[in-house]
Amino acid sequence: MGVAGLWDVLRPVGKTRSLTHLAVVDGFEANPNGVRGFRVGIDASIWFYHATYGREGENPEIRTLFFRCARLMSTPFLPLFVFDGPKRPKVKRGKRISGKDHWMVQGMQKIIDAFGFEWRTAPGEAEAELAYLNRIGVIDAVLSDDVDTFLFGATMVVRNPSATLSGNKAHPVTNTAGKVDDNHVVTYTSKDFGEDPKISLNQEGLILIGVLRGGDYHQGVNGCGVTTAHGLARCGFGDTLVKSARTMTEEELEDFLVGWREDIRKELRTNSKGFLGRKCPSLAKALPEDFPDIDVLLSYTNPITSETYGKTPKDFKIDWEKEPNLGKIAGLCETYFEWGIKDIIIKRFRTVIWPPAVLRILRRSALLADKRFHKDEQALIGGVPSTPRKPGGKELIAFGTPSKMIARHFSTLKLDSPTGRQGADSDTDGDGDEDNLIKKIHSSRTHTLTDGLLEYRLEIAPAQLIRLCEAGIRGDRKPAENNMDEFDSGDDEDGEEGSKTKAGPKKPPPEPTSHLRVWMPACMVKLAEPRLVEEFEAVQQAKLNKKAGKANASKAKATKAGPSKTSVKVKDSLATLELSDASDEDIPVPGPSKPKSRPKLKTASTDISQIKDLTTKTQRKRDTGAAGPSTIDDFFKASKLPTKPVTVKAKTKTAAVGSLFKNFDPPPTDRHSPNPFISEGTDEDTDVFGSLLSKDRRATVYFRYLIRIPSRTSRGVNLSLFWRELKRVLSQCPLIRLQRRDKKLLSRT
């Protein structure tokens, strides 16, 4: 929608942002306007257009609007919907526009009110009104997919993230992991493309591109591409055109346009300023004498907005104090949707409404804390006693999430409990009420979905929210005789595409009042529930301290043991049990109990405590005087190492090698005789060491243990004698095929 090709010109300065990160960091944390949120303007007519694609259930268009509002509620955005007014253009894109309101206006306004959003009707076109509100600071950005908003003077546009838009299909927006998650958008600011040397566009230049390329009001000039229009705008023709349109009468403007058109024709023929890329004599000749249409030009330069009637920011009484009314939301579901039965509404709200409601409650808690803080500041200035605050300076006193506060701000319905609507304007909401919504913080994370924003996973008690919703359900719809489980799915698309469900049996839904866990921005939780944050961080710090203590104790124990020869031999011998080939990772070590996966040691420098733990798990026996097991049988006998290294007289290097090959009986060499190293029914050329097909796996493990001793350490072993003995043993086993790595080890000797 809007000027064709203009998004492609602006794309280089677009910034990819997560919607959550944008709303939380730029809105809630920065808090430039004191409303703890990011204020966005939305053209309601664009939502009407998108809603027509809804095809599911009863009232599919309203259903689409409902789920879109629920998604918008899940971030601290503060939306302002603007509807087209009575003085909007009569013709748009060649079609006559009816003077009547759209049939979805009333239904959408009810949904907007229920969700606690703001809305207003513009004098003329909604796009122009939003641009004016953005320019004077009433809203922070415009959420739209129509580039015409910049032509009307907007300063920041958040391009609509919908995947159904043609521009988004060609250029999908991805997160830092390169995936499309529908939570990332591209933001554009007039400052960025005005300062970029390759774009260098202002509002006047954008208007010139609009009248050359065509937009909502006309077809443009035939043969003029976006590159040529961009080049003419950089030449400054848009500045003179718009200035004249805003300051001259129509007669004066017509006289001015005669010379202005000649200047454009001259530039198209000569490209004297070098911004066009090439000369365009044919376009100069084809430029119409009535270009541009004055009515079209004035619709961009002087649109009918609140500015036309002299309204200033003070005239817009928007305090952004509204909150979602949970009872009204439930009542709308009962009215418009086929699943509008109490039990099914509560089931759906568990995933669709409760998480967004929790976020809005956290924002309200922060706002109340801000108000209390500013009230105390004024009291101090006026000499009036103030509410006690925490010692140590000016700090916000947390409000928490008590049930009284929730009932007063998130429902206009009176409940059968002390938490009714009485005293809704009191500044002491929730004082002394310990029935909090948030019970505990379970974990934290940073995720690509939110551009690395720190989040806490909260445990929520939804009983209070359920009561507020049930109070708004009248019971007009009766459960159908057929099974309504088909409407019980928790997650819903917003009507544009069908929901994708996984095959297999469905799990029974949880109890409505059972606790649930939701991810919330950490900065919001810290302001609302600092006590829970302190408890969680204390638990995490204790875990870190415990882990660090274990590491320090192990290090100290290893240092205290000292590098004695015997302990080094034990350490080096046991460290060789790590078989580096991936095929050996699951070799079982026999023991008195059921075989388990063999623990791995990462390096030969593993500390003594890890070696003791390994020997305990595998139940191996050690000869206290040797560098490793004395024989193949001793290698697999279950035994525990002594708690302290035993100091004995170390054997000579020659004796150590001899003990390794002591009592070894070579297997038979006859190819037709049973071979203990080849499993029955397999090829004799099978890699015995890697494939674990050996009938006698003990021998396989032992051979690999022997062959890797020199690669780990040379202490306690006469290397030349070792290799000579190992080759002698292997020569008696002609059917064994060594792995390539083993052959390399042998070839080095």
Side-chain angles (χ1 to χ4, degrees):
M1 299 176 69
V3 181
L6 187 51
W7 279 126
D8 295 329
V9 175
L10 304 180
R11 182 168 288 109
V13 296
K15 298 178 181 178
T16 302
R17 298 284 303 275
S18 164
L19 284 172
T20 305
H21 191 277
L22 175 66
V24 173
V25 175
D26 295 6
F28 183 86
E29 280 190 308
N31 196 26
N33 305 292
V35 294
R36 292 290 182 183
F38 192 81
R39 305 167 303 173
V40 293
I42 300 174
D43 184 355
S45 63
I46 296 179
W47 280 40
F48 292 154
Y49 174 76
H50 293 163
T52 57
Y53 288 94
R55 295 289 183 272
E56 298 182 12
E58 184 179 326
N59 296 311
E61 297 87 358
I62 300 297
R63 176 183 180 277
T64 298
L65 299 175
F66 174 86
F67 283 105
R68 285 202 166 195
C69 286
R71 182 181 178 187
L72 202 58
M73 177 181 161
S74 64
T75 55
F77 280 119
L78 304 178
L80 169 62
F81 289 86
V82 178
F83 295 85
D84 288 330
K87 295 185 178 182
R88 60 182 177 270
K90 303 300 181 184
V91 178
K92 200 168 182 179
R93 288 200 172 273
K95 296 181 180 180
R96 181 165 296 278
I97 305 300
S98 172
K100 298 180 180 180
D101 289 338
H102 196 280
W103 68 269
M104 281 191 284
V105 167
Q106 291 185 352
M108 185 172 182
Q109 288 177 352
K110 290 181 180 180
I111 293 176
I112 292 172
D113 285 333
F115 278 93
F117 302 153
E118 300 283 352
W119 65 270
R120 62 178 285 106
T121 301
E125 193 169 13
E127 282 179 318
E129 181 74 4
L130 286 169
Y132 173 63
L133 295 177
N134 186 209
R135 192 168 68 250
I136 65 177
V138 174
I139 56 178
D140 300 314
V142 179
L143 179 63
S144 175
D145 57 333
D146 196 337
V147 75
D148 281 357
T149 311
F150 277 127
L151 275 66
F152 291 119
T155 60
M156 181 176 181
V157 172
V158 179
R159 194 171 183 193
N160 198 319
S162 175
T164 60
L165 300 178
S166 59
N168 291 348
K169 287 181 179 179
H171 303 278
V173 183
T174 59
N175 56 27
T176 55
K179 298 181 179 179
V180 178
D181 56 16
D182 294 332
N183 194 51
H184 277 72
V185 295
V186 180
T187 62
Y188 299 87
T189 63
S190 58
K191 180 180 178 181
D192 288 341
F193 58 72
E195 296 176 350
D196 188 275
K198 294 183 179 180
I199 299 178
S200 186
L201 285 175
N202 52 17
Q203 183 186 1
E204 291 77 10
L206 293 171
I207 291 176
L208 177 62
I209 295 176
V211 296
L212 284 169
R213 290 284 293 152
D216 291 342
Y217 308 119
H218 67 117
Q219 298 299 322
V221 178
N222 291 331
C224 182
V226 67
T227 302
T228 302
H230 183 202
L232 291 174
R234 296 182 67 185
C235 292
F237 291 107
D239 297 334
T240 56
L241 175 65
V242 173
K243 182 179 179 181
S244 301
R246 288 174 174 170
T247 58
M248 297 180 179
T249 63
E250 287 195 22
E251 293 78 8
E252 293 173 338
L253 183 59
E254 288 180 355
D255 294 337
F256 164 80
L257 290 176
V258 175
W260 181 81
R261 280 191 293 269
E262 287 302 321
D263 292 339
I264 285 188
R265 290 191 180 104
K266 181 179 179 180
E267 182 63 25
L268 289 171
R269 288 193 297 265
T270 62
N271 189 24
S272 60
K273 297 184 180 180
F275 291 119
L276 300 181
R278 62 183 179 87
K279 298 177 182 180
C280 305
S282 58
L283 180 60
K285 187 177 180 179
L287 192 69
E289 289 295 333
D290 60 349
F291 173 79
D293 186 289
I294 293 181
D295 292 335
V296 172
L297 177 62
L298 293 178
S299 65
Y300 285 121
T301 59
N302 302 316
I304 298 176
T305 64
S306 297
E307 185 180 18
T308 308
Y309 299 95
K311 290 188 177 182
T312 63
K314 295 181 180 179
D315 298 319
F316 295 93
K317 298 180 180 179
I318 304 176
D319 55 10
W320 310 101
E321 283 289 322
K322 292 182 179 179
E323 296 290 359
N325 190 319
L326 300 180
K328 281 188 176 181
I329 294 175
L332 286 175
C333 293
E334 183 181 27
T335 301
Y336 289 110
F337 308 136
E338 72 280 0
W339 46 269
I341 302 169
K342 184 173 73 171
D343 292 342
I344 301 178
I345 289 174
I346 299 303
K347 288 179 182 179
R348 280 207 163 185
F349 277 20
R350 186 177 179 88
T351 54
V352 177
I353 298 297
W354 295 166
V358 171
L359 184 135
R360 295 288 166 164
I361 291 170
L362 292 175
R363 172 185 172 265
R364 172 52 54 183
S365 179
L367 282 174
L368 293 174
D370 289 343
K371 287 183 178 180
R372 179 182 286 177
F373 176 80
H374 294 307
K375 183 178 180 180
D376 291 348
E377 289 294 312
Q378 294 176 359
L380 286 174
I381 295 174
V384 181
S386 62
T387 304
R389 66 177 72 253
K390 293 181 179 180
K394 301 177 181 179
E395 295 184 11
L396 293 177
I397 299 179
F399 230 89
T401 55
S403 58
K404 283 185 179 180
M405 181 267 285
I406 296 173
R408 288 171 177 169
H409 293 279
F410 292 85
S411 178
T412 56
L413 303 172
K414 187 174 180 180
L415 305 180
D416 297 330
S417 67
T419 61
R421 185 67 179 168
Q422 304 93 334
D425 298 328
S426 173
D427 292 330
T428 60
D429 290 350
D431 288 353
D433 187 352
E434 298 181 357
D435 187 13
N436 284 343
L437 174 72
I438 302 173
K439 299 300 181 182
K440 185 181 179 181
I441 301 176
H442 283 273
S443 57
S444 62
R445 74 171 184 181
T446 55
H447 200 275
T448 56
L449 191 69
T450 58
D451 288 346
L453 186 72
L454 179 63
E455 296 175 287
Y456 289 144
R457 196 177 191 191
L458 310 181
E459 181 180 334
I460 306 301
Q464 171 78 0
L465 305 179
I466 293 174
R467 290 197 298 269
L468 295 178
C469 287
E470 288 178 341
I473 300 174
R474 301 177 301 275
D476 296 339
R477 287 183 183 264
K478 301 301 180 182
E481 294 182 359
N482 60 330
N483 189 5
M484 293 295 291
D485 288 343
E486 58 178 324
F487 305 116
D488 292 350
S489 59
D491 293 329
D492 270 275
E493 301 293 333
D494 50 37
E496 298 173 3
E497 295 180 2
S499 301
K500 296 181 180 180
T501 58
K502 295 183 178 180
K506 293 183 179 180
K507 295 182 179 180
E511 289 295 325
T513 56
S514 62
H515 291 192
L516 71 152
R517 299 181 184 182
V518 295
W519 290 105
M520 289 291 140
C523 60
M524 302 183 72
V525 182
K526 289 177 181 178
L527 287 179
E529 295 284 2
R531 179 182 58 82
L532 294 180
V533 174
E534 291 173 1
E535 292 176 358
F536 171 74
E537 291 180 348
V539 171
Q540 299 303 309
Q541 188 61 43
K543 291 181 179 179
L544 292 176
N545 294 340
K546 185 177 180 181
K547 185 181 296 184
K550 287 184 177 181
N552 293 336
S554 300
K555 191 174 182 180
K557 192 178 296 184
T559 304
K560 185 177 180 181
S564 63
K565 287 188 176 181
T566 305
S567 60
V568 169
K569 290 179 181 180
V570 173
K571 177 179 177 180
D572 294 337
S573 299
L574 293 179
T576 59
L577 282 176
E578 178 197 8
L579 305 184
S580 56
D581 295 322
S583 59
D584 294 329
E585 289 181 358
D586 296 325
I587 295 178
V589 178
S593 59
K594 184 178 180 180
K596 297 182 181 180
S597 297
R598 174 180 51 81
K600 291 178 62 177
L601 296 179
K602 292 185 178 179
T603 63
S605 60
T606 310
D607 55 60
I608 295 297
S609 63
Q610 288 177 304
I611 295 174
K612 291 179 179 179
D613 181 64
L614 175 64
T615 54
T616 301
K617 291 182 179 179
T618 57
Q619 299 184 3
R620 298 177 50 222
K621 184 176 180 181
R622 177 180 68 92
D623 186 352
T624 57
S630 59
T631 65
I632 187 172
D633 293 325
D634 292 338
F635 180 88
F636 291 95
K637 286 184 179 179
S639 179
K640 292 185 178 180
L641 281 173
T643 56
K644 295 183 179 180
V646 180
T647 304
V648 297
K649 185 177 180 180
K651 294 184 179 181
T652 64
K653 295 184 177 182
T654 303
V657 174
S659 65
L660 291 173
F661 298 92
K662 184 181 179 181
N663 298 330
F664 175 77
D665 296 325
T669 57
D670 185 3
R671 298 179 66 91
H672 300 286
S673 61
N675 193 318
F677 296 96
I678 301 294
S679 61
E680 296 179 3
T682 60
D683 189 357
E684 292 180 350
D685 291 334
T686 303
D687 184 351
V688 177
F689 292 98
S691 64
L692 303 181
L693 295 179
S694 172
K695 182 179 293 185
D696 191 347
R697 294 189 177 182
R698 300 192 307 155
T700 301
V701 174
Y702 191 68
F703 266 122
R704 297 190 65 82
Y705 161 73
L706 292 178
I707 206 168
R708 280 165 172 71
I709 285 180
S711 66
R712 302 292 183 181
T713 179
S714 61
R715 291 186 178 184
V717 176
N718 185 321
L719 293 182
S720 60
L721 179 60
F722 172 84
W723 286 116
R724 186 163 61 251
E725 286 294 308
L726 182 59
K727 288 182 179 180
R728 180 185 63 80
V729 172
L730 292 177
S731 65
Q732 301 176 34
C733 306
L735 301 183
I736 293 179
R737 298 290 185 264
L738 297 179
Q739 287 186 343
R740 183 176 300 174
R741 179 176 178 180
D742 300 326
K743 292 180 180 179
K744 287 183 178 180
L745 289 174
L746 290 174
S747 64
R748 295 173 186 170
T749 61

